[in-house]
Amino acid sequence: GMANKLHEEAITKNAIPELAGYNSQRREIKYGTNSRIDILLQDDKRADCYVEVKNVHWKQGNAATFPDAVTSRGAKHMEELALIAQSGKRAVVLFVVQRDDCDFFTPSYATDPKYADALHNALAKGVEALCYCCYVAENEIRIHRKLPVRLELP
Protein backbone atom coordinates (compact mmCIF):
# COMPACT_ATOMS: atom_id res chain seq x y z
CA GLY A 1 0.00 0.00 0.00
CA MET A 2 2.89 2.40 0.62
CA ALA A 3 3.83 2.45 -3.09
CA ASN A 4 0.31 3.63 -4.00
CA LYS A 5 0.36 6.33 -1.30
CA LEU A 6 3.78 7.51 -2.48
CA HIS A 7 2.58 7.59 -6.07
CA GLU A 8 -0.63 9.44 -5.23
CA GLU A 9 1.28 12.09 -3.26
CA ALA A 10 3.93 12.40 -5.97
CA ILE A 11 1.29 13.01 -8.65
CA THR A 12 -0.44 15.62 -6.50
CA LYS A 13 2.89 17.42 -6.03
CA ASN A 14 3.91 16.95 -9.72
CA ALA A 15 6.98 14.95 -8.66
CA ILE A 16 6.43 12.54 -11.56
CA PRO A 17 6.41 14.86 -14.59
CA GLU A 18 5.24 12.14 -16.98
CA LEU A 19 1.98 11.84 -15.01
CA ALA A 20 1.39 15.53 -14.27
CA GLY A 21 -1.48 17.65 -15.51
CA TYR A 22 -4.50 15.40 -15.00
CA ASN A 23 -7.39 16.98 -13.09
CA SER A 24 -8.80 13.74 -11.64
CA GLN A 25 -7.14 10.87 -9.81
CA ARG A 26 -9.19 7.81 -8.82
CA ARG A 27 -8.02 4.63 -7.10
CA GLU A 28 -8.92 0.96 -7.47
CA ILE A 29 -11.15 1.28 -10.55
CA LYS A 30 -12.40 -1.95 -12.14
CA TYR A 31 -11.11 -2.69 -15.65
CA GLY A 32 -10.18 -5.65 -17.83
CA THR A 33 -11.04 -9.15 -16.70
CA ASN A 34 -11.71 -9.02 -12.97
CA SER A 35 -8.94 -6.50 -12.24
CA ARG A 36 -8.62 -3.11 -10.58
CA ILE A 37 -6.23 -0.43 -11.76
CA ASP A 38 -4.24 1.23 -8.99
CA ILE A 39 -4.72 4.77 -10.31
CA LEU A 40 -6.89 6.15 -13.10
CA LEU A 41 -5.88 9.65 -14.19
CA GLN A 42 -8.45 11.61 -16.15
CA ASP A 43 -8.69 14.97 -17.85
CA ASP A 44 -11.18 16.31 -20.39
CA LYS A 45 -8.34 17.30 -22.74
CA ARG A 46 -6.54 13.94 -23.03
CA ALA A 47 -7.01 10.19 -23.01
CA ASP A 48 -7.51 8.40 -19.70
CA CYS A 49 -4.27 7.14 -18.14
CA TYR A 50 -4.32 3.74 -16.39
CA VAL A 51 -1.43 3.38 -13.92
CA GLU A 52 -0.43 0.05 -12.40
CA VAL A 53 1.95 0.58 -9.46
CA LYS A 54 4.51 -2.09 -8.58
CA ASN A 55 6.33 -1.94 -5.25
CA VAL A 56 10.02 -2.73 -5.72
CA HIS A 57 12.33 -3.44 -2.82
CA TRP A 58 14.68 -6.08 -4.19
CA LYS A 59 18.18 -5.18 -5.35
CA GLN A 60 20.54 -7.33 -7.40
CA GLY A 61 23.91 -5.73 -8.00
CA ASN A 62 23.14 -2.11 -8.91
CA ALA A 63 19.67 -2.95 -10.24
CA ALA A 64 16.28 -2.56 -8.64
CA THR A 65 14.40 -5.64 -9.79
CA PHE A 66 10.85 -6.96 -9.83
CA PRO A 67 9.33 -9.38 -9.04
CA ASP A 68 10.93 -11.11 -6.08
CA ALA A 69 8.60 -14.12 -6.49
CA VAL A 70 6.51 -15.60 -9.28
CA THR A 71 3.50 -13.38 -9.97
CA SER A 72 0.91 -14.68 -12.41
CA ARG A 73 -1.29 -11.78 -11.31
CA GLY A 74 1.46 -9.33 -12.29
CA ALA A 75 1.73 -10.91 -15.75
CA LYS A 76 -2.06 -10.64 -16.11
CA HIS A 77 -1.86 -6.94 -15.26
CA MET A 78 0.69 -6.43 -18.05
CA GLU A 79 -1.58 -8.21 -20.55
CA GLU A 80 -4.54 -6.06 -19.51
CA LEU A 81 -2.51 -2.84 -19.70
CA ALA A 82 -1.49 -3.83 -23.23
CA LEU A 83 -5.17 -4.07 -24.20
CA ILE A 84 -5.78 -0.61 -22.71
CA ALA A 85 -2.87 0.84 -24.71
CA GLN A 86 -4.10 -0.79 -27.90
CA SER A 87 -7.55 0.75 -27.36
CA GLY A 88 -6.02 4.24 -27.59
CA LYS A 89 -5.86 5.02 -23.89
CA ARG A 90 -2.65 5.60 -22.01
CA ALA A 91 -1.29 2.68 -19.96
CA VAL A 92 1.63 2.98 -17.54
CA VAL A 93 3.39 0.56 -15.23
CA LEU A 94 5.11 2.53 -12.49
CA PHE A 95 7.83 0.77 -10.52
CA VAL A 96 8.28 2.48 -7.14
CA VAL A 97 11.62 1.49 -5.62
CA GLN A 98 11.48 2.03 -1.87
CA ARG A 99 15.22 2.57 -1.55
CA ASP A 100 17.78 4.95 -3.08
CA ASP A 101 20.82 2.77 -3.71
CA CYS A 102 20.06 1.47 -7.22
CA ASP A 103 21.23 2.79 -10.59
CA PHE A 104 18.52 1.33 -12.83
CA PHE A 105 15.52 -1.00 -12.98
CA THR A 106 15.25 -4.35 -14.75
CA PRO A 107 12.73 -7.17 -14.51
CA SER A 108 13.89 -10.25 -12.62
CA TYR A 109 14.19 -12.72 -15.49
CA ALA A 110 15.50 -15.51 -13.27
CA THR A 111 12.70 -15.20 -10.71
CA ASP A 112 9.75 -14.98 -13.11
CA PRO A 113 10.49 -15.23 -16.83
CA LYS A 114 6.75 -15.18 -17.64
CA TYR A 115 6.37 -11.79 -15.97
CA ALA A 116 9.46 -10.48 -17.77
CA ASP A 117 8.01 -11.67 -21.10
CA ALA A 118 4.62 -10.13 -20.29
CA LEU A 119 6.33 -6.81 -19.51
CA HIS A 120 8.29 -6.93 -22.79
CA ASN A 121 5.12 -7.71 -24.75
CA ALA A 122 3.15 -4.94 -23.02
CA LEU A 123 5.81 -2.36 -23.80
CA ALA A 124 5.87 -3.49 -27.44
CA LYS A 125 2.11 -2.83 -27.55
CA GLY A 126 2.37 0.72 -26.21
CA VAL A 127 2.49 0.43 -22.42
CA GLU A 128 4.90 2.91 -20.84
CA ALA A 129 7.30 1.85 -18.07
CA LEU A 130 8.42 4.39 -15.49
CA CYS A 131 10.62 3.83 -12.47
CA TYR A 132 11.23 6.16 -9.55
CA CYS A 133 13.23 5.48 -6.41
CA CYS A 134 12.53 6.90 -2.99
CA TYR A 135 14.35 8.94 -0.44
CA VAL A 136 14.01 6.99 2.79
CA ALA A 137 14.73 8.44 6.23
CA GLU A 138 13.60 7.63 9.74
CA ASN A 139 10.70 10.08 9.57
CA GLU A 140 10.13 10.43 5.82
CA ILE A 141 9.74 8.51 2.59
CA ARG A 142 9.07 10.22 -0.73
CA ILE A 143 9.54 9.80 -4.46
CA HIS A 144 13.03 11.11 -5.10
CA ARG A 145 14.45 10.51 -8.59
CA LYS A 146 13.82 8.70 -11.84
CA LEU A 147 15.71 5.52 -12.67
CA PRO A 148 16.30 4.23 -16.20
CA VAL A 149 14.38 1.10 -17.17
CA ARG A 150 16.60 -1.51 -18.83
CA LEU A 151 15.06 -4.49 -20.54
CA GLU A 152 18.09 -6.24 -21.99
CA LEU A 153 18.14 -9.95 -21.39
CA PRO A 154 20.70 -10.98 -18.76
PDB file of all heavy atoms in Angstrom, residues 66-82:
ATOM      1  N   PHE A  66      12.189  -6.482 -10.165  1.00  0.00           N
ATOM      2  CA  PHE A  66      10.848  -6.956  -9.832  1.00  0.00           C
ATOM      3  C   PHE A  66      10.489  -8.047 -10.815  1.00  0.00           C
ATOM      4  O   PHE A  66      10.827  -7.934 -11.990  1.00  0.00           O
ATOM      5  CB  PHE A  66       9.841  -5.795  -9.954  1.00  0.00           C
ATOM      6  CG  PHE A  66       8.422  -6.181  -9.654  1.00  0.00           C
ATOM      7  CD1 PHE A  66       7.934  -6.105  -8.358  1.00  0.00           C
ATOM      8  CD2 PHE A  66       7.574  -6.630 -10.651  1.00  0.00           C
ATOM      9  CE1 PHE A  66       6.617  -6.467  -8.076  1.00  0.00           C
ATOM     10  CE2 PHE A  66       6.270  -6.993 -10.385  1.00  0.00           C
ATOM     11  CZ  PHE A  66       5.790  -6.914  -9.089  1.00  0.00           C
ATOM     12  N   PRO A  67       9.822  -9.084 -10.385  1.00  0.00           N
ATOM     13  CA  PRO A  67       9.328  -9.385  -9.045  1.00  0.00           C
ATOM     14  C   PRO A  67      10.353 -10.170  -8.240  1.00  0.00           C
ATOM     15  O   PRO A  67      11.346 -10.658  -8.771  1.00  0.00           O
ATOM     16  CB  PRO A  67       8.089 -10.245  -9.330  1.00  0.00           C
ATOM     17  CG  PRO A  67       8.459 -10.996 -10.575  1.00  0.00           C
ATOM     18  CD  PRO A  67       9.303 -10.032 -11.386  1.00  0.00           C
ATOM     19  N   ASP A  68      10.063 -10.307  -6.947  1.00  0.00           N
ATOM     20  CA  ASP A  68      10.934 -11.108  -6.083  1.00  0.00           C
ATOM     21  C   ASP A  68      10.379 -12.518  -5.879  1.00  0.00           C
ATOM     22  O   ASP A  68      10.964 -13.331  -5.182  1.00  0.00           O
ATOM     23  CB  ASP A  68      11.183 -10.419  -4.746  1.00  0.00           C
ATOM     24  CG  ASP A  68       9.915 -10.186  -3.953  1.00  0.00           C
ATOM     25  OD1 ASP A  68       8.826 -10.537  -4.443  1.00  0.00           O
ATOM     26  OD2 ASP A  68      10.005  -9.656  -2.837  1.00  0.00           O
ATOM     27  N   ALA A  69       9.230 -12.791  -6.513  1.00  0.00           N
ATOM     28  CA  ALA A  69       8.599 -14.124  -6.495  1.00  0.00           C
ATOM     29  C   ALA A  69       7.727 -14.220  -7.746  1.00  0.00           C
ATOM     30  O   ALA A  69       7.396 -13.211  -8.359  1.00  0.00           O
ATOM     31  CB  ALA A  69       7.741 -14.299  -5.240  1.00  0.00           C
ATOM     32  N   VAL A  70       7.360 -15.417  -8.111  1.00  0.00           N
ATOM     33  CA  VAL A  70       6.507 -15.600  -9.283  1.00  0.00           C
ATOM     34  C   VAL A  70       5.181 -14.878  -9.059  1.00  0.00           C
ATOM     35  O   VAL A  70       4.592 -14.970  -7.982  1.00  0.00           O
ATOM     36  CB  VAL A  70       6.274 -17.107  -9.557  1.00  0.00           C
ATOM     37  CG1 VAL A  70       5.252 -17.307 -10.667  1.00  0.00           C
ATOM     38  CG2 VAL A  70       7.591 -17.785  -9.908  1.00  0.00           C
ATOM     39  N   THR A  71       4.731 -14.150 -10.080  1.00  0.00           N
ATOM     40  CA  THR A  71       3.497 -13.381  -9.966  1.00  0.00           C
ATOM     41  C   THR A  71       2.646 -13.513 -11.223  1.00  0.00           C
ATOM     42  O   THR A  71       2.769 -12.717 -12.152  1.00  0.00           O
ATOM     43  CB  THR A  71       3.765 -11.891  -9.649  1.00  0.00           C
ATOM     44  OG1 THR A  71       2.522 -11.184  -9.682  1.00  0.00           O
ATOM     45  CG2 THR A  71       4.738 -11.244 -10.603  1.00  0.00           C
ATOM     46  N   SER A  72       1.810 -14.517 -11.257  1.00  0.00           N
ATOM     47  CA  SER A  72       0.914 -14.676 -12.407  1.00  0.00           C
ATOM     48  C   SER A  72      -0.049 -13.500 -12.476  1.00  0.00           C
ATOM     49  O   SER A  72      -0.433 -13.058 -13.560  1.00  0.00           O
ATOM     50  CB  SER A  72       0.163 -16.005 -12.332  1.00  0.00           C
ATOM     51  OG  SER A  72      -0.563 -16.103 -11.134  1.00  0.00           O
ATOM     52  N   ARG A  73      -0.419 -12.957 -11.348  1.00  0.00           N
ATOM     53  CA  ARG A  73      -1.291 -11.775 -11.307  1.00  0.00           C
ATOM     54  C   ARG A  73      -0.597 -10.575 -11.951  1.00  0.00           C
ATOM     55  O   ARG A  73      -1.208  -9.803 -12.689  1.00  0.00           O
ATOM     56  CB  ARG A  73      -1.662 -11.472  -9.854  1.00  0.00           C
ATOM     57  CG  ARG A  73      -2.640 -10.342  -9.696  1.00  0.00           C
ATOM     58  CD  ARG A  73      -3.126 -10.279  -8.227  1.00  0.00           C
ATOM     59  NE  ARG A  73      -3.689  -8.998  -7.954  1.00  0.00           N
ATOM     60  CZ  ARG A  73      -3.137  -8.066  -7.196  1.00  0.00           C
ATOM     61  NH1 ARG A  73      -1.996  -8.292  -6.586  1.00  0.00           N
ATOM     62  NH2 ARG A  73      -3.730  -6.913  -7.012  1.00  0.00           N
ATOM     63  N   GLY A  74       0.697 -10.424 -11.691  1.00  0.00           N
ATOM     64  CA  GLY A  74       1.457  -9.331 -12.294  1.00  0.00           C
ATOM     65  C   GLY A  74       1.523  -9.458 -13.807  1.00  0.00           C
ATOM     66  O   GLY A  74       1.399  -8.466 -14.532  1.00  0.00           O
ATOM     67  N   ALA A  75       1.709 -10.681 -14.304  1.00  0.00           N
ATOM     68  CA  ALA A  75       1.726 -10.907 -15.751  1.00  0.00           C
ATOM     69  C   ALA A  75       0.359 -10.583 -16.351  1.00  0.00           C
ATOM     70  O   ALA A  75       0.264  -9.979 -17.421  1.00  0.00           O
ATOM     71  CB  ALA A  75       2.127 -12.348 -16.052  1.00  0.00           C
ATOM     72  N   LYS A  76      -0.701 -10.957 -15.652  1.00  0.00           N
ATOM     73  CA  LYS A  76      -2.064 -10.644 -16.109  1.00  0.00           C
ATOM     74  C   LYS A  76      -2.254  -9.133 -16.206  1.00  0.00           C
ATOM     75  O   LYS A  76      -2.836  -8.632 -17.165  1.00  0.00           O
ATOM     76  CB  LYS A  76      -3.086 -11.249 -15.149  1.00  0.00           C
ATOM     77  CG  LYS A  76      -4.529 -10.898 -15.469  1.00  0.00           C
ATOM     78  CD  LYS A  76      -5.465 -11.410 -14.384  1.00  0.00           C
ATOM     79  CE  LYS A  76      -6.829 -10.793 -14.536  1.00  0.00           C
ATOM     80  NZ  LYS A  76      -7.629 -10.843 -13.350  1.00  0.00           N
ATOM     81  N   HIS A  77      -1.751  -8.402 -15.230  1.00  0.00           N
ATOM     82  CA  HIS A  77      -1.858  -6.939 -15.263  1.00  0.00           C
ATOM     83  C   HIS A  77      -1.169  -6.374 -16.506  1.00  0.00           C
ATOM     84  O   HIS A  77      -1.676  -5.435 -17.132  1.00  0.00           O
ATOM     85  CB  HIS A  77      -1.260  -6.308 -14.009  1.00  0.00           C
ATOM     86  CG  HIS A  77      -2.083  -6.513 -12.800  1.00  0.00           C
ATOM     87  ND1 HIS A  77      -1.544  -6.447 -11.533  1.00  0.00           N
ATOM     88  CD2 HIS A  77      -3.393  -6.795 -12.623  1.00  0.00           C
ATOM     89  CE1 HIS A  77      -2.499  -6.672 -10.640  1.00  0.00           C
ATOM     90  NE2 HIS A  77      -3.626  -6.890 -11.288  1.00  0.00           N
ATOM     91  N   MET A  78      -0.009  -6.916 -16.866  1.00  0.00           N
ATOM     92  CA  MET A  78       0.695  -6.428 -18.052  1.00  0.00           C
ATOM     93  C   MET A  78      -0.118  -6.694 -19.315  1.00  0.00           C
ATOM     94  O   MET A  78      -0.208  -5.844 -20.202  1.00  0.00           O
ATOM     95  CB  MET A  78       2.083  -7.066 -18.172  1.00  0.00           C
ATOM     96  CG  MET A  78       3.074  -6.652 -17.088  1.00  0.00           C
ATOM     97  SD  MET A  78       3.330  -4.878 -16.952  1.00  0.00           S
ATOM     98  CE  MET A  78       2.270  -4.472 -15.574  1.00  0.00           C
ATOM     99  N   GLU A  79      -0.738  -7.866 -19.383  1.00  0.00           N
ATOM    100  CA  GLU A  79      -1.576  -8.205 -20.548  1.00  0.00           C
ATOM    101  C   GLU A  79      -2.771  -7.264 -20.639  1.00  0.00           C
ATOM    102  O   GLU A  79      -3.136  -6.805 -21.728  1.00  0.00           O
ATOM    103  CB  GLU A  79      -2.028  -9.662 -20.459  1.00  0.00           C
ATOM    104  CG  GLU A  79      -0.886 -10.647 -20.616  1.00  0.00           C
ATOM    105  CD  GLU A  79      -1.219 -12.057 -20.148  1.00  0.00           C
ATOM    106  OE1 GLU A  79      -2.382 -12.322 -19.769  1.00  0.00           O
ATOM    107  OE2 GLU A  79      -0.296 -12.895 -20.163  1.00  0.00           O
ATOM    108  N   GLU A  80      -3.382  -6.955 -19.508  1.00  0.00           N
ATOM    109  CA  GLU A  80      -4.543  -6.065 -19.514  1.00  0.00           C
ATOM    110  C   GLU A  80      -4.147  -4.623 -19.823  1.00  0.00           C
ATOM    111  O   GLU A  80      -4.874  -3.919 -20.522  1.00  0.00           O
ATOM    112  CB  GLU A  80      -5.305  -6.191 -18.205  1.00  0.00           C
ATOM    113  CG  GLU A  80      -5.993  -7.543 -18.105  1.00  0.00           C
ATOM    114  CD  GLU A  80      -6.864  -7.719 -16.889  1.00  0.00           C
ATOM    115  OE1 GLU A  80      -6.725  -6.952 -15.925  1.00  0.00           O
ATOM    116  OE2 GLU A  80      -7.689  -8.645 -16.908  1.00  0.00           O
ATOM    117  N   LEU A  81      -2.988  -4.181 -19.344  1.00  0.00           N
ATOM    118  CA  LEU A  81      -2.515  -2.844 -19.698  1.00  0.00           C
ATOM    119  C   LEU A  81      -2.252  -2.743 -21.201  1.00  0.00           C
ATOM    120  O   LEU A  81      -2.524  -1.710 -21.821  1.00  0.00           O
ATOM    121  CB  LEU A  81      -1.242  -2.490 -18.929  1.00  0.00           C
ATOM    122  CG  LEU A  81      -1.406  -2.047 -17.486  1.00  0.00           C
ATOM    123  CD1 LEU A  81      -0.034  -1.791 -16.853  1.00  0.00           C
ATOM    124  CD2 LEU A  81      -2.279  -0.820 -17.354  1.00  0.00           C
ATOM    125  N   ALA A  82      -1.734  -3.820 -21.789  1.00  0.00           N
ATOM    126  CA  ALA A  82      -1.490  -3.828 -23.232  1.00  0.00           C
ATOM    127  C   ALA A  82      -2.796  -3.624 -23.999  1.00  0.00           C
ATOM    128  O   ALA A  82      -2.837  -2.884 -24.991  1.00  0.00           O
ATOM    129  CB  ALA A  82      -0.808  -5.132 -23.659  1.00  0.00           C
TER     130      ALA A  82
END
